[in-house]
Amino acid sequence: MAWAGNQTLISHFVLLGLFTHSPLHLFLFSIIMVMFLVALSGNGLMILLILMDSRLHTPMYFFLSWLSLMDLMLISTIVPRMAADFLMGRGSISFTGCGLQILFFLTLLGDECFLLAFMAYDRYVAISNPLRYSVIMSRRVCWLMVAGSWLFGLVDGLIQAVFTLRFPYCGSQEIDHFFCEVPAVLKLACADTSLYETMIYVCCVLMLLLPFSVISASYLRILVAVLRMRSAEGRRKAFATCSSHMIVVSLFYGAAMITYMRPQAYHSSKQDKVVSAFYTMITPMLNPLIYSLRNKEVTGALKKLLGKCPCGGGTLG
């Protein structure tokens, strides 16, 4: 504890978590842990397949491997800590620990926002300009896109982590959330945060609305190209793929926008926890299933890998 005038400043927070120990919540906690394991195995498998199979060394799968890595890191930043707090019956987190969680989480969230936009642009170029695709989406361009995603995410994470922890916090130490999310932490600040909330809104326009606009425009152009296809089967497959992609993207961006673009007065703890679960747990689990493991190239690479595994009856080499 530290003193500032007549107020006692707190030195750590207490995360109240997502669940109580009721039978229903124990069941929901089990589901969350299954989702966590599915996300770990699905994303880990995607990275392994893309690294090992030369047929998947294309721009699309290059981006998908980075998406899988980001999802692995994102869900690992949140779920293990939440599970440990629930099982051990504690939720204390230091000021520094809270700041690091904000930094890592927002960096990864920002990374993914921009990477999804670059992935949508990649698909647009592949469909609308296939003859120049390898020139436009060269290896150098792909690396620049990934590096740009990390840079924008890191800058956003640093700004929000530093500014959030610069406020004095006094009175209650309890954060009614399962991790240190900025809107939940700001509720405990004993200072005017309105200017900072305006800055967060501006950041979110750049980090959420701009990439989502690129994704929407890219898929709209893809849709136009699909409608011009002569093959009914080709149109059906393209529609199915695009619609599943847009559902996952909408869940991710929609949940993030609800959390970070609403005024503080409209936030409720219960609603914030449910919404946050979408982009911290659900989308990292769905991404490898929707984007990759349904593809013929990926299933082919998986069969090839299993064929090389001694337990699969094949021979090494």
Side-chain angles (χ1 to χ4, degrees):
M1 293 284 185
W3 294 86
N6 293 326
Q7 295 175 321
T8 305
L9 301 184
I10 60 178
S11 57
H12 69 280
F13 298 108
V14 177
L15 295 166
L16 297 184
L18 188 59
F19 305 114
T20 64
H21 286 272
S22 67
L24 174 61
H25 281 197
L26 286 170
F27 173 70
L28 293 175
F29 174 76
S30 301
I31 292 177
I32 292 293
M33 295 314 297
V34 169
M35 290 169 57
F36 175 64
L37 294 175
V38 170
L40 286 184
S41 56
N43 286 293
L45 180 61
M46 275 310 306
I47 294 171
L48 179 65
L49 291 176
I50 292 169
L51 285 175
M52 293 187 65
D53 198 311
S54 59
R55 293 174 297 177
L56 302 182
H57 293 173
T58 64
M60 181 179 79
Y61 290 107
F62 174 77
F63 290 131
L64 283 171
S65 67
W66 280 102
L67 179 67
S68 291
L69 178 62
M70 291 173 185
D71 280 335
L72 270 176
M73 296 173 69
L74 180 64
I75 199 167
S76 297
T77 300
I78 305 300
V79 176
R81 166 88 203 200
M82 180 206 72
D85 287 345
F86 176 75
L87 293 173
M88 298 175 69
R90 59 170 177 79
S92 179
I93 184 169
S94 68
F95 222 65
T96 302
C98 190
L100 287 173
Q101 195 174 55
I102 291 172
L103 172 62
F104 292 147
F105 169 70
L106 288 177
T107 296
L108 292 165
L109 189 68
D111 291 344
E112 196 156 326
C113 285
F114 281 98
L115 187 69
L116 287 170
F118 290 138
M119 287 171 62
Y121 176 73
D122 169 70
R123 291 298 82 207
Y124 161 68
V125 174
I127 290 175
S128 66
N129 204 347
L131 297 179
R132 298 192 66 239
Y133 175 70
S134 60
V135 176
I136 297 172
M137 299 302 297
S138 65
R139 186 176 181 84
R140 179 174 176 272
V141 169
C142 292
W143 275 108
L144 285 173
M145 287 179 169
V146 170
S149 298
W150 279 101
L151 178 62
F152 286 126
L154 180 60
V155 169
D156 180 56
L158 278 171
I159 290 173
Q160 294 208 43
V162 170
F163 274 86
T164 299
L165 296 187
R166 281 175 63 89
F167 287 106
Y169 292 90
C170 49
S172 176
Q173 298 171 283
E174 296 180 343
I175 300 174
D176 195 1
H177 213 298
F178 58 93
F179 70 101
C180 285
E181 192 159 37
V182 171
V185 175
L186 287 179
K187 289 180 179 179
L188 305 185
C190 46
D192 182 15
T193 61
S194 56
L195 182 61
Y196 177 52
E197 288 176 43
T198 303
M199 187 194 78
I200 292 177
Y201 183 85
V202 173
C203 282
C204 287
V205 169
L206 297 174
M207 302 295 292
L208 294 173
L209 284 183
L210 185 60
F212 187 70
S213 299
V214 172
I215 292 171
S216 300
S218 296
Y219 276 107
L220 184 61
R221 297 294 295 270
I222 290 171
L223 183 62
V224 171
V226 167
L227 290 173
R228 292 174 180 167
M229 288 182 178
R230 294 182 179 180
S231 168
E233 181 66 15
R235 285 198 303 270
R236 187 189 66 78
K237 289 183 178 179
F239 273 125
T241 301
C242 289
S243 60
S244 61
H245 287 189
M246 282 305 298
I247 288 171
V248 176
V249 165
S250 298
L251 281 175
F252 178 79
Y253 281 94
M257 288 176 190
I258 289 172
T259 299
Y260 286 93
M261 298 189 71
R262 280 185 307 163
Q264 191 75 1
Y266 292 93
H267 282 268
S268 72
S269 297
K270 287 184 179 180
Q271 187 182 61
D272 286 350
K273 290 179 186 180
V274 173
V275 171
S276 296
F278 276 95
Y279 56 82
T280 58
M281 302 176 202
I282 296 175
T283 54
M285 179 192 68
L286 291 178
N287 279 339
L289 302 176
I290 296 297
Y291 281 103
S292 307
L293 295 178
R294 295 168 59 198
N295 294 0
K296 289 182 179 178
E297 295 93 341
V298 176
T299 54
L302 180 59
K303 289 176 183 177
K304 182 180 177 183
L305 178 66
L306 293 176
K308 289 182 178 181
C309 178
C311 60
T315 59
L316 289 171

